[in-house]
Each structure stands twice: as structure tokens, then as C-alpha cells.
Amino acid sequence: MFYFVIGPAIRLSRMLNFRNKFLLIFFASIIPGIFLLLLSLQDDMSAIDRDKQELKGKVYISEISPLLDNVNQHRILTSQYINGDQTVTSRISSVSNNVLAELQRLDDKAHSSDAEQWRDKLTAIKTQWQELGEKWQSFDSNSNAVAHIQISTMIDEFRHHIAGDTGLLLDPDAEIYYIMVSAIDTIPAINEQLEQLRLGLVSTLASGKIDAKRMGRIDSILERELPRLTYRLNNDIELASDVSPATAAQLAAQWQKPQKDFEQLSAQIEQGLLTGKFDASEISQQLAKLDNIRQQIDQLSHFSMEYLEESLEGRLVSEQRALLIKTLSGIAILLAVAWLIAGFATDLTRRARGLEQDMALLAAGDFSQHIRERGNDELSRVASSAVSLTSSLAGMMLEIKQ
């Protein structure tokens, strides 16, 4: 069976001289080796490009926060204006210009990154913002809040779009995936809901009364949105602890206090909603506690984003180093194989040609020349046998002549 399989190769070998045999072996070994090396390098380069994209997305997402902060600040100021505070007019104009400046800065950055699809999203946000700037003075407090929430939602969706477009939420490395989801998705969502809660309390304080619609939104945040996000973050941290215990433990430690503080604050706000009475001093205290919780969440966000950036940069450096080592090792191995094949081919071809010439002299009856061959391989032993044959034939010819 074995000889049946290799029979065609044996017949091909008998048809080729040594030089062509080794040329065939050379190309049959080197070309596939080069092909496999290129495929491996291509995979490594794809991983490097993926991490560069993720790092770009992380940096870009970090720069969206000032935009969202200015939109929320604009909502607070316009709510105060609608409720009769005329002193905030200049601040409203300044914050509105800040929003436009942030949108332009993000647009320029998207243009420099050749991310035209991001620019389309920014254009839609800018258009919505300009429409709000023209109409907000005709809104009541609730309509103004809804209009601002719509823009905040667009910005949040834009953040999700960037995260998906750059692969941040599709990272294959389990060691940082759950931290990444927390940093890019869950923690910003918690922060946004806390900001919406703060805006609701500020609006209530500015209006000087309990509004049913506003209280309904606050209740929705306290009873549905934040508990859902809290459960998701706890789940992410638990899953992260399976693959990166140390980092998950640090994240859990920083999350424990704001979570506990918020549960206490939520109970206080819910109690106030049940009474239906407006208490300015109590709402002011709740706002102070909420601001403290938001500071803790900001620290949590900073920690997770910093870890994410360090992880991506570290992985990128590691992949680039591995790519360099693999490239140099692959080239070195291919050169070594080529060197061996070239050396063997040259040696065997020269020796076979010399043996062929010496045997031709022997066939012509010239026994005076000794076969020039040295070595320990089969070809050398054939040459040694030929030397013995030459000596024997020369002796026999001498005896016959005598």
C-alpha cells in the first residue's frame, strides 16, 4: 500500500536529475511555508487593526461626555428660565454655544478619522439641537424636558453606534470583555439615568411644586431603569470575576458604596413621592446626596475606562511584539531551510556529476584515474565500491597482458 501511494513520486524521481529534484523540493517546501507564514501574519495584523479600532472608539467615546454634560446643563438652565428665573439667560446662551462647539469638535475628529457614518449621526444631533434652540422658549417645563431627553437619547445611541462600529462590544478577549461592556455601556447608562433623576429633582425644586408627570418619570427611573442597570452591572462584575478576579474585585469595591448610597436615597425619594408634599429643604438634601453618588460613579467610570485603555494598549503592544517575533522567526526558518536545500543540492549535484565523469573514463578503459569522492553517505559508498572495482579490473588487465 505504501509503495502504491508513493509510486508516482518514485517514477517522477527517476525522470529528474539531482538538480531538478532539489528545485522541485525547494519550491514544494518554501512556497507553502511562505503562504502559511503570510496567512498567520495576516491574522495577527487583523487583530492589531481590531485593537487600534477599539482604542480609537474608546478615545472618541470618552470625548462625548462633555457634549452630554452641556446638553444636561442646558436642560437645567432652560427649566429654571421657564419657571421664572430670568437671570440664567446669558448662561443658557453660553451653554448652547458650548454644545455646538462640542458637536463641531467631534465632527472634525470624525472627519480626520475617515468615519463619515459618524458625521451623519452628528449632523442629525446638530439639526435636532438647532430646532430645540429655536423652540424651547415656547415649551412648558415638561415639553422642554422631553425635547432634551430626546437629544440625550440620540447622543446615547451615537455612543452605542461607535462602540459597535469599532468592535468595542464585540471583543473576543473574555478577560476584558465584561469590563469593556461595563465601561462603554452599563456605567454611562447609569450615569445618564442619575442625571435624568437629578434634572427631575432640580425642575421640581425650581417649579416649587410636585408635578404628576415629572414624578412619574422620577418613579420610572427609580423603580425600573436604575434597578435594571444595577442588576446588569452586578452581573457584569460577577462574570468578570471568573476571568479577571483582581480587576473585578477593584471594580466591585468602587461600586459597592454608590450602590448602597443610591438604595438609601431611592427609598427617601420614594417616601417623598408617596406623601405628595413639596419640601424644598428635603429636595436640596436629596440633590446633595445624588451629586455625591454621581461623583462616585464618575470615579468608577474613570477607573473602568482607564483599565480598558491600558488593557487595549498593552494587548496592542503584545500583539505587535508577537508579530515582529513571528515574522523574524518565520523568515529565519525559511532561510535556514533554503540554505540547507541549496547546500545539499549543490553538494550532491557536483558529486554525482564527478562520479558520472569518472565512471565514463572507467567505461572507456582508462583505469589510471581514481574516483574522487569523499564522505559517509550512500553516494560515497558507491564511489568506494567503484574504486575497488577499478583496482580489481586494473589488476586483472595486468595479469592478462603478462
Side-chain angles (χ1 to χ4, degrees):
M1 181 65 180
F2 175 74
Y3 289 102
F4 175 77
V5 173
I6 67 171
I10 294 173
R11 289 191 291 272
L12 178 61
S13 176
R14 291 171 179 172
M15 294 171 57
L16 301 175
N17 58 28
F18 273 113
R19 180 177 179 274
N20 291 335
K21 283 186 179 72
F22 278 102
L23 282 175
L24 181 61
I25 293 173
F26 176 82
F27 288 114
S29 58
I30 296 299
I31 292 179
I34 293 174
F35 179 72
L36 292 174
L37 177 61
L38 291 177
L39 284 180
S40 179
L41 295 180
Q42 186 178 17
D43 289 341
D44 290 345
M45 292 177 68
S46 297
I48 290 173
D49 290 339
R50 181 200 65 218
D51 285 348
K52 286 182 177 179
Q53 277 292 103
E54 290 184 10
L55 194 57
K56 182 177 75 171
K58 179 268 168 190
V59 172
Y60 198 90
I61 286 174
S62 298
E63 297 183 0
I64 293 177
S65 296
L67 171 62
L68 196 57
D69 290 342
N70 278 291
V71 170
N72 290 329
Q73 183 66 21
H74 188 270
R75 176 184 168 183
I76 293 174
L77 294 173
T78 53
S79 177
Q80 292 175 349
Y81 181 91
I82 291 171
N83 287 305
D85 186 356
Q86 304 292 321
T87 63
V88 296
T89 305
S90 60
R91 292 175 62 192
I92 291 174
S93 177
S94 175
V95 171
S96 180
N97 291 332
N98 289 341
V99 170
L100 292 174
E102 289 296 330
L103 285 169
Q104 185 60 49
R105 183 178 62 83
L106 290 171
D107 184 76
D108 293 341
K109 192 170 184 64
H111 179 67
S112 65
S113 301
D114 295 325
E116 295 300 322
Q117 70 277 18
W118 298 357
R119 301 187 70 193
D120 293 339
K121 298 282 185 182
L122 288 169
T123 300
I125 295 172
K126 184 177 181 180
T127 301
Q128 190 79 4
W129 177 256
Q130 290 172 336
E131 291 179 359
L132 175 63
E134 296 171 357
K135 298 177 180 179
W136 71 265
Q137 294 188 41
S138 63
F139 291 158
D140 58 25
S141 183
N142 287 322
S143 299
N144 181 60
V146 170
H148 280 84
I149 289 173
Q150 288 176 344
I151 294 177
S152 297
T153 301
M154 292 178 69
I155 296 173
D156 187 59
E157 291 175 349
F158 178 50
R159 187 182 71 239
H160 276 273
H161 177 81
I162 294 171
D165 197 36
T166 56
L168 281 168
L169 299 179
L170 300 172
D171 193 274
D173 187 357
E175 186 171 351
I176 66 172
Y177 172 76
Y178 298 109
I179 305 296
M180 185 178 293
V181 170
S182 298
I184 299 299
D185 187 26
T186 311
I187 295 176
I190 290 174
N191 212 11
E192 175 60 21
Q193 289 301 316
L194 290 175
E195 180 62 24
Q196 296 300 330
L197 176 60
R198 182 178 185 277
L199 293 173
L201 293 175
V202 169
S203 298
T204 300
L205 187 62
S207 65
K209 62 180 180 180
I210 300 294
D211 181 89
K213 290 184 178 179
R214 189 181 298 117
M215 291 303 101
R217 287 198 298 271
I218 291 176
D219 184 65
S220 175
I221 293 171
L222 294 176
E223 291 296 318
R224 290 196 297 273
E225 298 301 327
L226 281 172
R228 176 179 59 85
L229 293 170
T230 297
Y231 173 80
R232 187 197 300 177
L233 181 56
N234 287 329
N235 187 60
D236 289 342
I237 293 174
E238 182 180 353
L239 291 171
S241 64
D242 294 334
V243 290
S244 184
T247 305
Q250 295 180 45
L251 192 62
Q254 295 200 31
W255 166 236
Q256 186 176 7
K257 188 176 188 307
Q259 182 182 14
K260 183 178 180 181
D261 290 348
F262 172 73
E263 289 173 354
Q264 295 174 353
L265 176 62
S266 178
Q268 294 175 7
I269 296 175
E270 286 288 346
Q271 185 64 32
L273 292 177
L274 289 175
T275 62
K277 295 181 180 180
F278 176 78
D279 188 334
S281 62
E282 183 178 356
I283 294 176
S284 297
Q285 291 175 6
Q286 292 170 354
L287 281 170
K289 292 178 181 179
L290 183 58
D291 287 340
N292 180 261
I293 292 172
R294 292 188 69 240
Q295 289 178 1
Q296 296 176 54
I297 295 296
D298 287 340
Q299 293 174 358
L300 181 67
S301 177
H302 178 72
F303 168 78
S304 59
M305 293 295 280
E306 190 176 66
Y307 170 79
L308 176 59
E309 184 172 0
E310 290 176 355
S311 297
L312 288 174
E313 288 178 346
R315 192 170 71 183
L316 188 59
V317 170
S318 178
E319 288 170 345
Q320 290 173 334
R321 185 186 300 113
L323 176 64
L324 178 61
I325 292 174
K326 184 179 291 185
T327 301
L328 295 178
S329 299
I331 292 174
I333 291 172
L334 289 174
L335 289 176
V337 171
W339 174 74
L340 286 173
I341 293 176
F344 290 171
T346 301
D347 176 60
L348 288 176
T349 300
R350 287 178 178 176
R351 291 163 61 195
R353 187 179 297 116
L355 182 60
E356 180 184 17
Q357 293 172 353
D358 290 340
M359 294 300 289
L361 292 175
L362 179 61
D366 185 359
F367 302 108
S368 62
Q369 299 294 328
H370 290 288
I371 296 176
R372 300 154 296 177
E373 179 55 41
R374 295 178 181 177
N376 296 316
D377 57 9
E378 290 84 348
L379 194 61
S380 299
R381 288 194 288 273
V382 170
S384 178
S385 298
V387 169
S388 299
L389 177 61
T390 301
S391 300
S392 299
L393 289 175
M396 290 174 61
M397 293 298 295
L398 182 60
E399 290 178 0
I400 293 173
K401 288 180 179 180
Q402 292 176 350

